[in-house]
Amino acid sequence: MAAANKLRIIDAAVITPNDLSLPPRSLPFTFFDVEWLRQRPQPLVQRLFFYRLTQQHHVAVQRLISDLKRSLSQALTLFYPLAGHVRRTPGARSNRYELFYQPGNGVAFATAEYDLHDVDDYLASSYHPVPVSMLAPLVPLLPKGRAVLAVQATVLRRGGLALGVTLHHSACDGASYTHFLHTWAAACAGATDDMPPPPVIDRSLISDRNNLYDIYCAGISLPSDGAEIELAGTTASSYPDDQLLATFTLPHELIQSIKDALAAEAARRNAPTPLRCSSLLAAYSFIWSCYCRAKQPMDARDQARATTYFLFAVDHRKRLNPPVPERYMGNCLSPAIAASCQDDLAAAAGTGTAGGLFAAFTAITDALEEALSEGAQERWDRCMGRVIEAAKAGLLSVAGSPRFHVYDINFGFGRPA
């Protein structure tokens, strides 16, 4: 908490959409959305961008923050549900929820100063992990009142800028979230012809033929007494000192060597050469096998033969029947869950084989094929139970996508550091 105490909030504003004629609007939750109303773990999507400001920008930092607020107001006119809040649907069944916007609603925007560190102190790497508790003061909490979005701009020592954005996952998934961020950044940078296309805001595009909404509600703890659910987030003091954040860069050469190793191991086993060996699947396989090798010395022998799981998200916008637009705003994800024996995944490298890597790749591709197979959507009623079972047994999960181009989010003062 000592670090948090050195943070000075110098302004607290509420940013509303700049179109004052927007009428009150309700956006009902689909089964994709309602599953994120769980309370533990808190389903927050937190982005923290660090920018090194030039001397020219440093002098005009307050103008930059004014530009961030102005352009956020523009972006919220297009993404108006993010200015609203979650509520029970009036007059509907007790488990029906919606995102509700009415004029005057807006997004909390805090401006802060923090003299304890500069940008370079925060740039985590494999050699320089950063405590999460050190980063937490730079990321805003969701205010009470069931808001789904909050922003904090923090001026750092020696002229850096940290921009923290917190979203509640029930509002939308990563594709929609980064679509919003790119739109906000383009407006701030003064783009006119190069603005991203607007979102498609229409929850009727998601049909629920198998009553998945009620099935998913049964798997989470929702108030049964008519009370509203609260979404306010975790405080900085909730993070233990040994919880660290590190960044590992996988260059193109390493990804290609992983693909080559997988192909060689397939040939050694007289197995079919992997057909679906994208860079993302190669990275997933490498991450999972390395994680299990690092973890193995800590596991008892009986745990080493146990099944462990790897979870990643699959976007279904193009796969629903009928498909929904790529710019659909909301959640449209289901989990793919790979399973394998801990020992198989931890098979040591350096023995002339890539056994652990191949075991990870095989399990992940099997999970992906299952998630994309015909009839997969008919099994979504069991998704939540499978995730809970995997989490109890031992689960590594990954989030995000290179397709989001997060490092291209430029508000007009350069790419993130």
Side-chain angles (χ1 to χ4, degrees):
M1 283 299 292
N5 289 340
K6 294 183 182 296
L7 183 83
R8 298 187 302 277
I9 301 294
I10 58 177
D11 181 63
V14 175
I15 309 301
T16 59
N18 69 346
D19 184 352
L20 301 180
S21 66
L22 279 176
R25 294 178 180 177
S26 298
L27 197 63
F29 275 12
T30 72
F31 62 89
F32 284 124
D33 307 312
V34 76
E35 63 177 315
W36 295 106
L37 286 182
R38 65 173 186 260
Q39 295 296 291
R40 295 289 182 270
Q42 195 90 39
L44 302 179
V45 187
Q46 297 168 308
R47 294 277 187 195
L48 183 54
F49 301 92
F50 291 100
Y51 295 94
R52 289 189 180 93
L53 302 182
T54 64
Q55 183 61 33
Q56 176 186 2
H57 286 142
H58 180 45
V59 171
V61 67
Q62 293 307 319
R63 182 179 61 79
L64 293 181
I65 292 174
S66 294
D67 288 344
L68 285 169
K69 293 178 178 179
R70 172 192 52 77
S71 54
L72 176 59
S73 180
Q74 291 178 250
L76 288 174
T77 292
L78 298 173
F79 291 82
Y80 66 87
L82 299 183
H85 60 275
V86 174
R87 71 172 187 179
R88 287 182 183 269
T89 303
R93 292 167 52 188
S94 62
N95 67 355
R96 266 26 189 192
Y97 287 85
E98 64 186 18
L99 265 178
F100 176 65
Y101 167 80
Q102 61 183 350
N105 286 167
V107 172
F109 190 117
T111 305
E113 291 181 345
Y114 199 41
D115 294 333
L116 196 61
H117 300 288
D118 61 22
V119 168
D120 290 324
D121 294 330
Y122 289 106
L123 298 185
S125 69
S126 57
Y127 303 104
H128 177 58
V130 175
V132 174
S133 58
M134 177 177 159
L135 298 165
L138 307 179
V139 182
L141 302 178
L142 292 178
K144 291 186 176 180
R146 305 176 305 285
V148 295
L149 185 68
V151 177
Q152 179 177 315
T154 306
V155 180
L156 303 173
R157 189 177 64 187
R158 292 200 286 271
L161 181 69
L163 184 64
V165 188
T166 297
L167 174 87
H168 197 276
H169 212 317
S170 65
C172 62
D173 58 21
S176 295
Y177 184 24
T178 48
H179 182 194
F180 161 72
L181 291 173
H182 280 286
T183 301
W184 177 18
C188 189
T192 52
D193 297 335
D194 295 330
M195 286 288 291
V200 175
I201 303 176
D202 183 358
R203 296 288 168 87
S204 69
L205 296 171
I206 305 293
S207 60
D208 186 5
R209 302 183 184 91
N210 297 324
N211 196 32
L212 293 174
Y213 189 103
D214 288 329
I215 292 171
Y216 287 179
C217 280
I220 57 180
S221 179
L222 294 173
S224 58
D225 57 359
E228 293 285 4
I229 194 167
E230 188 51 71
L231 308 180
T234 304
T235 65
S237 60
S238 301
Y239 298 102
D241 291 338
D242 61 352
Q243 187 172 342
L244 304 176
L245 176 72
T247 299
F248 297 85
T249 302
L250 307 184
H252 172 76
E253 295 77 10
L254 176 59
I255 294 294
Q256 187 56 53
S257 70
I258 294 169
K259 294 179 179 180
D260 293 343
L262 288 168
E265 184 66 12
R268 192 184 74 82
R269 299 179 181 220
N270 293 320
T273 301
L275 298 178
R276 190 194 290 271
C277 190
S278 67
S279 295
L280 189 60
L281 292 182
Y284 282 175
S285 305
F286 184 67
I287 291 166
W288 195 18
S289 60
C290 287
Y291 172 78
C292 289
R293 283 207 305 274
K295 187 171 177 289
Q296 189 180 38
M298 299 181 289
D299 289 336
R301 189 62 202 164
D302 57 342
Q303 291 177 304
R305 292 307 305 168
T307 299
T308 187
Y309 298 88
F310 183 87
L311 184 148
F312 58 101
V314 177
D315 189 315
H316 285 278
R317 284 170 172 79
K318 296 179 180 179
R319 300 181 175 100
L320 295 180
N321 184 21
V324 301
E326 183 179 0
R327 293 177 286 108
Y328 167 79
M329 184 194 163
N331 288 286
C332 199
L333 304 174
S334 76
I337 306 174
S340 188
C341 172
Q342 167 81 21
D343 252 3
D344 294 341
L345 294 165
T351 59
T353 69
L357 183 66
F358 193 78
F361 178 79
T362 301
I364 289 170
T365 52
D366 286 349
L368 182 60
E369 292 298 335
E370 180 185 7
L372 301 182
S373 64
E374 185 176 351
Q377 296 174 23
E378 301 303 315
R379 299 188 292 273
W380 282 354
D381 59 332
R382 300 193 291 275
C383 272
M384 189 167 290
R386 291 181 62 210
V387 171
I388 293 172
E389 177 187 349
K392 289 179 179 178
L395 172 68
L396 176 65
S397 63
V398 294
S401 170
R403 295 178 182 176
F404 295 164
H405 300 288
V406 173
Y407 283 94
D408 291 335
I409 294 175
N410 186 342
F411 288 88
F413 35 88
R415 287 162 55 91

